[in-house]
Amino acid sequence: MNVNEYVPFHDPESLYVLNEELLAAEDLKGANLLMSFAGFADAGHVVSQISAELKDQLAGEAVAVFDVDQLIDYRSRRPRITFAEDKLSDYRAPSLVLYRMFDALGTPFLFLTGQEPDLQWERFSRAVLGLVERFDVNLVAWVHSVPMPVPHTRPIGATVHGNRPDLIEGISAWKTTLDIPAAIGHLLEVRLDAAGRNVVGYAIHVPHYLSDAEYPLAAVAGLEYLGAALSLMLPSERLREAGRAVERQITEQVEGSSEVASVVTNLEKQYDEHTEGTARRSLLAGDNDELPDADELGAAVEAYLASRDAGPQDGAQLS
């Protein structure tokens, strides 16, 4: 027995129940998987905004539901409940669910979302890996966000990691070597890589002075990275509109305080000095590194729809 390689004592598959009605669906085989877990490094509430937007805007059904009683420490992260006058209601139980979803063009994908497990990480990782292999997932992409000393007036960057050079090289805005606290997404990425599965992760950079509040534009950036990597059209218009309102509020606060304005100016100077002469690649760019214009994007969408004789998959609809 190799004590350096921990093997869970209990069957990983007993951590979840499957929706038997969906298991035979042909669109699950070879689909891409998007992962987001609440509870770790969610600067700007990026993960929570992305998860809420996808569940609210896209059609989806549960493929697998995890037994959170085995995975969550309720006393360290107590669920919320509403007390109204003399009654208790609206208990918000934690959840971890693997959904089958359809993007705006009817393309199916898998979405694993919910609270990050507090317990049984190795068993949970093997359970997820088993599902990835069961459905022969093409690519796994996950997202989280970190506070960074960057100004809100510059493009939102990301640190990219994984085993797909075509999705990583030339994109990371910040590279270094650090010893950091691990999240379940990190462990899953390591285990998926070791198993030879395609995986990529995006750590979205959020200005540190905005990390405690919702920052919709950082969530939009996360959706753009994920959508480009997974070839999905993910909903972002509502977040873009909310982001414009937040930007106006930030501008008013900066203009109303010389101290805040000075901090932002210094961050802009540091950012510009750090990025001077450095060109970052975009996943949305073509072979000539130019972003497609609206006509090109429209033509691509029309060509995609024309290639789908039967239209979107059965059950695909937008709410």
Side-chain angles (χ1 to χ4, degrees):
M1 180 179 180
N2 184 1
V3 295
N4 294 321
E5 182 180 353
Y6 175 77
V7 177
F9 294 174
H10 301 287
D11 181 6
E13 291 187 7
S14 65
L15 268 180
Y16 59 83
V17 293
L18 291 166
N19 181 348
E20 299 293 338
E21 295 181 359
L22 281 182
L23 295 186
E26 293 184 1
D27 56 21
L28 289 180
K29 289 291 184 179
N32 290 323
L33 169 61
L34 190 162
M35 303 190 304
S36 68
F37 301 100
F40 171 78
D42 193 12
H45 300 249
V46 167
V47 172
S48 59
Q49 290 183 86
I50 288 176
S51 297
E53 199 68 6
L54 293 182
K55 288 193 288 185
D56 189 48
Q57 292 289 297
L58 301 181
E61 292 182 83
V63 176
V65 177
F66 284 85
D67 184 0
V68 291
D69 266 4
Q70 298 189 58
L71 299 170
I72 302 296
D73 179 357
Y74 290 83
R75 292 203 300 174
S76 67
R77 287 189 292 164
R78 294 182 182 272
R80 309 297 295 180
I81 193 168
T82 298
F83 175 72
E85 297 183 2
D86 58 356
K87 291 186 182 297
L88 293 169
S89 63
D90 192 23
Y91 171 65
R92 276 87 81 191
S95 66
L96 263 169
V97 181
L98 176 67
Y99 294 96
R100 177 186 66 173
M101 286 191 162
F102 297 91
D103 76 352
L105 293 178
T107 304
F109 68 100
L110 292 166
F111 181 37
L112 177 58
T113 185
Q115 278 78 1
E116 179 187 41
D118 296 305
L119 310 169
Q120 304 192 49
W121 277 21
E122 291 290 355
R123 189 172 170 218
F124 177 74
S125 296
R126 288 184 178 242
V128 173
L129 179 58
L131 289 167
V132 167
E133 292 177 339
R134 178 177 190 137
F135 299 120
D136 192 24
V137 169
N138 174 56
L139 171 66
V140 179
W142 70 288
V143 64
H144 60 112
S145 54
V146 293
M148 294 285 287
V150 294
H152 69 280
T153 53
R154 297 296 184 264
I156 295 172
T159 296
V160 195
H161 38 82
N163 59 11
R164 283 281 301 270
D166 58 317
L167 300 177
I168 297 173
E169 293 176 357
I171 294 177
S172 287
W174 180 73
K175 291 184 177 181
T176 189
T177 299
L178 291 175
D179 189 314
I180 60 174
I184 191 60
H186 296 129
L187 179 59
L188 284 168
E189 182 175 315
V190 169
R191 297 291 182 255
L192 288 163
D193 184 30
R197 311 301 307 199
N198 292 323
V199 61
V200 63
Y202 296 94
I204 306 301
H205 299 174
V206 176
H208 65 282
Y209 51 89
L210 300 174
S211 61
D212 291 336
E214 283 195 353
Y215 191 43
L217 292 180
V220 170
L223 285 168
E224 289 178 341
Y225 279 111
L226 292 168
L230 298 172
S231 300
L232 297 172
M233 185 170 287
L234 302 176
S236 62
E237 283 308 308
R238 296 197 311 185
L239 289 172
R240 289 180 192 277
E241 182 61 31
R244 287 189 280 268
V246 170
E247 287 285 276
R248 289 192 291 269
Q249 295 173 9
I250 296 172
T251 299
E252 291 175 0
Q253 293 179 24
V254 171
E255 292 176 349
S257 170
S258 58
E259 183 178 350
V260 173
S262 176
V263 170
V264 173
T265 298
N266 288 333
L267 288 173
E268 290 174 336
K269 181 180 178 181
Q270 294 173 16
Y271 179 95
D272 293 341
E273 290 175 351
H274 177 72
T275 59
E276 185 178 4
T278 302
R280 292 205 301 274
R281 183 173 66 91
S282 169
L283 290 177
L284 296 173
D287 294 334
N288 59 358
D289 286 335
E290 293 182 358
L291 289 175
D293 60 25
D295 291 338
E296 291 173 321
L297 286 173
V301 171
E302 289 178 5
Y304 177 87
L305 292 173
S307 69
R308 298 171 64 86
D309 295 335
Q313 298 288 335
D314 291 344
Q317 57 182 341
L318 297 180
S319 58

